[in-house]
């Protein structure tokens, strides 16, 4: 608009009055009616400077950017101011969100329009657009920044390649059975790139890890627990190795532990007592051979001892059919010897004479068991439940 037309324009004069009064939104409306788009952009830029919060400032800057079109010098100055305000807002924010990235791309576009290649390159670098940033720094003659971004890009590419390799190793070993290696690979992924998807997978894998020294499996609907150590605690407490639900059983009812060449049964001061061969225990007694133990009023356990190996089976009570094997030899034969279960550093591993399948896929020679695993060899199979 010419100077004379501006003087004659009622909207322009009212826009000037509103601008002088600091009412930038009213001024922007009048400048729009007076066909002064760069002034509309400038008013929204001024409103952004005085905004009370990040969201309000962001909204004003985006409106300003939409109005700052064209190629006149005064309009380029407004574009440059808007772009710099956008860049400063993102720098102050610190963490790049989706809105920040969109704002940076808009700022880079405005910087390119006004020929400010160096600032455009910075916006593009922050967005992760390395190739365009390198081109911008090259146009700006910023040799040092160009070398720095190319070096960082190569380092990042190396990290990404390692990340891909480690995640593939995690997936492969999780299926093949080397879960310790899978865990290490996934931990490396989190260290290289702490993304939410890696952290979720790591939490899930760690949640499937079993308690040291014990594992419970389900075979043909029957639960069997294996224990590589003594003492073996019996009671209603969840921490007991043989956890029983009968109400007449105390939380920590009785304990079986190793003695001098034998296994000793001790009542832990239970309310309803522990009986062996009809006698209530008043002191620790050595268990030999086989027999029955009465735990409380209603629960009966059948035991069998061979060397340092103990088998307990609930033959009466709420948990009838539950079994627990315990030995200090740290190895057990499962399902008629089809599988061999062993504990290594407290963690349960299984091998088989034939080809094993883990969760439907062919597994390696040795599997570190996790909660929820389904393991099969031929027709024999079991599920890990705890």
């Amino acid at each position: 608009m010419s100077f004379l037309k501006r003087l004659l324009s009622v909207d322009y004069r009212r826009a000037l009055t509103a601008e002088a009064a600091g009412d930038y939104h009213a001024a922007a409306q009048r400048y729009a009616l007076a066909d002064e788009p760069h002034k509309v952009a400038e008013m929204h830029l001024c409103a952004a400077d005085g905004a009370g919060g990040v969201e309000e400032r962001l909204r004003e800057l985006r409106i300003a950017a939409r109005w700052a079109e064209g190629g006149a010098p005064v309009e380029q100055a407004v574009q440059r101011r808007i772009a710099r305000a956008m860049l400063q807002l993102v720098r102050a924010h610190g963490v790049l969100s989706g809105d920040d990235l969109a704002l940076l791309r808009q700022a880079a576009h405005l910087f390119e329009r006004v020929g400010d290649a160096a600032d455009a390159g910075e916006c593009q670098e922050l967005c992760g657009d390395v190739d365009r940033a390198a081109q911008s720094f090259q146009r700006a003659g910023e040799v040092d920044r160009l070398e720095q971004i190319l070096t960082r890009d190569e380092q990042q590419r190396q990290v990404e390649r390692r990340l891909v390799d480690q995640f593939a190793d995690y997936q492969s070993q999780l299926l093949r059975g080397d879960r310790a290696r899978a865990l290490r690979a996934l931990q490396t992924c989190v260290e290289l790139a702490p993304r939410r998807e890696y952290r979720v997978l790591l939490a899930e894998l760690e949640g499937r890890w079993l308690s040291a020294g014990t594992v419970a499996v389900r075979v043909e609907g029957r639960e069997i627990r294996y224990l590589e150590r003594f003492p073996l605690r019996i009671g209603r407490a969840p921490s007991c190795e043989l956890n029983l639900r009968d109400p007449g059983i105390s939380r920590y009812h009785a304990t079986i532990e190793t003695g001098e060449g034998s296994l000793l049964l001790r009542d832990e001061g239970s309310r309803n007592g522990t009986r062996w061969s009809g006698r209530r225990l008043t002191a620790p007694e050595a268990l030999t051979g086989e027999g029955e133990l009465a735990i409380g009023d209603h629960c009966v356990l059948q035991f069998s001892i061979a060397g340092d190996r103990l088998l307990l089976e609930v033959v009466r009570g709420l948990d009838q059919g539950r079994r627990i094997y315990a030995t200090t030899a740290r190895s057990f034969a499962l399902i008629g010897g089809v599988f061999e279960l062993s504990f290594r550093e407290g963690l349960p591993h299984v091998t088989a004479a034939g080809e094993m399948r883990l969760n439907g896929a062919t597994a390696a020679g040795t599997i570190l068991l996790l909660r929820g695993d389904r393991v099969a060899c031929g027709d024999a199979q079991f599920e890990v439940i705890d």
Side-chain angles (χ1 to χ4, degrees):
M1 179 181 288
S2 68
F3 178 72
L4 181 59
K5 287 184 177 180
R6 285 174 180 165
L7 289 179
L8 296 175
S9 171
V10 174
D11 289 318
Y12 189 83
R13 293 199 305 273
R14 289 180 177 175
L16 289 174
T17 301
E19 180 181 356
D23 189 350
Y24 298 119
H25 289 116
Q29 293 174 359
R30 290 298 176 177
Y31 279 129
L33 293 172
D35 195 23
E36 294 285 346
H38 68 281
K39 290 296 292 183
V40 178
E42 187 176 353
M43 291 303 98
H44 283 288
L45 181 58
C46 291
D49 291 338
V54 173
E55 292 299 325
E56 183 182 352
R57 190 179 182 197
L58 181 62
R59 183 172 60 253
E60 295 294 344
L61 287 174
R62 283 179 168 159
I63 295 173
R66 287 200 296 270
W67 283 92
E69 297 294 338
V74 64
E75 293 171 352
Q76 288 188 356
V78 172
Q79 290 175 6
R80 182 178 284 108
R81 285 174 58 195
I82 293 170
R84 285 178 177 165
M86 289 177 165
L87 181 55
Q88 288 171 0
L89 181 63
V90 173
R91 285 172 177 164
H93 197 188
V95 180
L96 293 181
S97 64
D99 285 341
D100 292 328
L101 293 175
L103 199 65
L104 282 170
R105 293 188 185 99
Q106 201 167 10
H109 174 70
L110 291 173
F111 278 131
E112 286 179 333
R113 288 182 65 89
V114 300
D116 194 340
D119 284 334
E122 181 177 354
C123 293
Q124 291 155 351
E125 183 181 3
L126 287 171
C127 283
D129 193 346
V130 176
D131 293 337
R132 290 191 64 187
Q135 294 171 8
S136 295
F137 288 141
Q138 188 173 23
R139 287 197 304 272
E142 297 277 355
V143 178
D144 290 342
R145 297 182 73 177
L146 175 60
E147 290 179 351
Q148 289 172 3
I149 192 174
L150 291 178
T151 300
R152 285 196 298 270
D153 181 49
E154 177 56 29
Q155 292 172 342
Q156 183 60 35
R157 290 179 189 273
Q158 291 176 2
V159 169
E160 289 295 333
R161 286 195 291 269
R162 190 179 176 206
L163 191 61
V164 169
D165 291 342
Q166 290 295 315
F167 191 70
D169 195 32
Y170 150 73
Q171 292 178 310
S172 172
Q173 298 307 323
L174 187 65
L175 291 174
R176 289 176 55 80
D178 191 346
R179 274 48 187 281
R181 181 171 167 180
L183 179 65
R184 291 194 298 271
L186 194 52
Q187 288 171 335
T188 300
C189 289
V190 172
E191 291 170 3
L192 292 173
R195 301 169 186 166
R196 183 179 182 276
E197 57 266 33
Y198 295 143
R199 296 198 305 271
V200 169
L201 289 173
L202 181 59
E204 290 176 351
L205 182 57
E206 290 174 338
R208 294 180 61 196
W209 223 255
L210 296 167
S211 301
T214 182
V215 62
V217 302
R218 184 177 290 113
V219 180
E220 296 180 349
R222 172 179 286 186
E223 177 184 330
I224 307 173
R225 179 170 292 278
Y226 295 89
L227 185 68
E228 67 150 347
R229 52 177 166 72
F230 291 94
L232 188 162
R233 295 167 298 175
I234 303 169
R236 287 189 299 107
S239 58
C240 288
E241 284 72 27
L242 182 54
N243 172 241
L244 301 171
R245 296 173 294 170
D246 285 82
I249 297 175
S250 300
R251 283 179 56 79
Y252 294 99
H253 196 104
T255 299
I256 299 175
E257 59 189 3
T258 55
E260 295 182 0
S262 64
L263 295 177
L264 299 178
L265 172 65
R266 183 178 67 247
D267 184 83
E268 297 292 353
S270 64
R271 185 176 68 253
N272 295 316
T274 302
R275 290 176 295 279
W276 178 24
S277 300
R279 296 181 294 105
R280 182 163 180 159
L281 263 65
T282 57
E285 292 196 25
L287 293 176
T288 57
E290 57 186 39
E292 289 188 346
L293 307 175
I295 305 296
D297 294 330
H298 307 290
C299 183
V300 176
L301 309 179
Q302 189 174 73
F303 73 87
S304 174
I305 297 175
D308 63 350
R309 296 175 183 268
L310 167 70
L311 165 62
L312 283 177
E313 181 175 0
V314 182
V315 294
R316 193 168 72 223
L318 292 177
D319 298 292
Q320 184 175 349
R322 182 176 295 178
R323 289 184 172 188
I324 183 167
Y325 286 90
T327 179
T328 56
R330 300 183 179 180
S331 66
F332 303 86
L334 272 68
I335 313 181
V338 175
F339 301 98
E340 181 182 0
L341 172 69
S342 61
F343 289 86
R344 304 178 187 178
E345 297 181 355
L347 298 177
H349 294 70
V350 69
T351 57
E355 182 180 87
M356 282 191 295
R357 296 186 305 281
L358 173 61
N359 301 322
T362 301
T366 302
I367 298 171
L368 169 59
L369 297 175
L370 298 179
R371 188 175 290 106
D373 278 342
R374 290 173 289 105
V375 183
C377 179
D379 295 330
Q381 56 186 329
F382 66 89
E383 178 186 1
V384 181
I385 57 178
D386 187 27

